[in-house]
Amino acid sequence: MHVQEWLETVPAVAVYALVGIVIGLESLGIPLPGEIILVSSALLASQHGDIDPVILGACASAGAIIGDSIGYAIGRKGGRPLLAWLGGKFPRHFSEAHIATAERSFQKWGMWAVFFGRFVALLRIFAGPLAGVLHMPYWKFLTANVLGGILWAGGTTAVIYYVGIVAESWLKRFSWLGLVLAVLIGLTSMLVLKRKAKKTAAATAATAEPAPAPAPASVSD
């Protein structure tokens, strides 16, 4: 069933809760389609007056911030063994190459990696736990987490809602385009990160290769 058609069958309170929970779990580190749920819910709000876009955006923002914070706490306590465990459970998302790419982003950009990671599908899953594993100062993490969560969740809700209002005559077709766009953005982000991860893995493997042993010196008679 189409995501938006399914959302139409549940009450507004359930939609708010679903958006907050799904985005929270995704931010915590569980691969879930948080962006698709948010886009579909915002489009639904533009068609049905019983769903308040302000409450929807607030629930999405709260889920993003709380989920990331819980992920940070889990990552700080679990450390690298946690990443190894996640790699066994979700090898496509938490492979060593993906973790290496995300770690390099954190080392290079610091708290900005948390902020901008909110807008990238794969980094959105990594940001909280990895920031905890790397022991990023909590005040830096919290600042980037709150700003990024509000801007991403609230901004996405506002943009999709008002575009839906303006384009009411072709809203049903737009709902498909909105979902396709969200999926394409997510896939593009993952492909870019996957390509970078392969390069990182190749560079790491090349560095780890032992240098060839020197040839034995000839002994003169």
Side-chain angles (χ1 to χ4, degrees), residues 67-139:
D68 249 11
S69 297
I70 296 174
Y72 175 91
I74 294 174
R76 193 174 180 91
K77 185 174 182 180
R80 293 191 176 276
L82 173 65
L83 296 181
W85 180 83
L86 288 172
K89 294 293 183 179
F90 307 103
R92 292 183 60 184
H93 297 87
F94 289 91
S95 66
E96 292 184 7
H98 285 168
I99 292 173
T101 300
E103 189 171 353
R104 287 180 61 189
S105 299
F106 270 70
Q107 291 172 346
K108 183 177 181 180
W109 301 107
M111 63 184 293
W112 291 109
V114 178
F115 178 82
F116 289 111
R118 175 57 60 185
F119 300 88
V120 181
L122 191 59
L123 286 179
R124 194 159 52 243
I125 302 172
F126 276 115
L130 190 57
V133 170
L134 297 178
H135 290 269
M136 176 182 290
Y138 183 68
W139 71 268

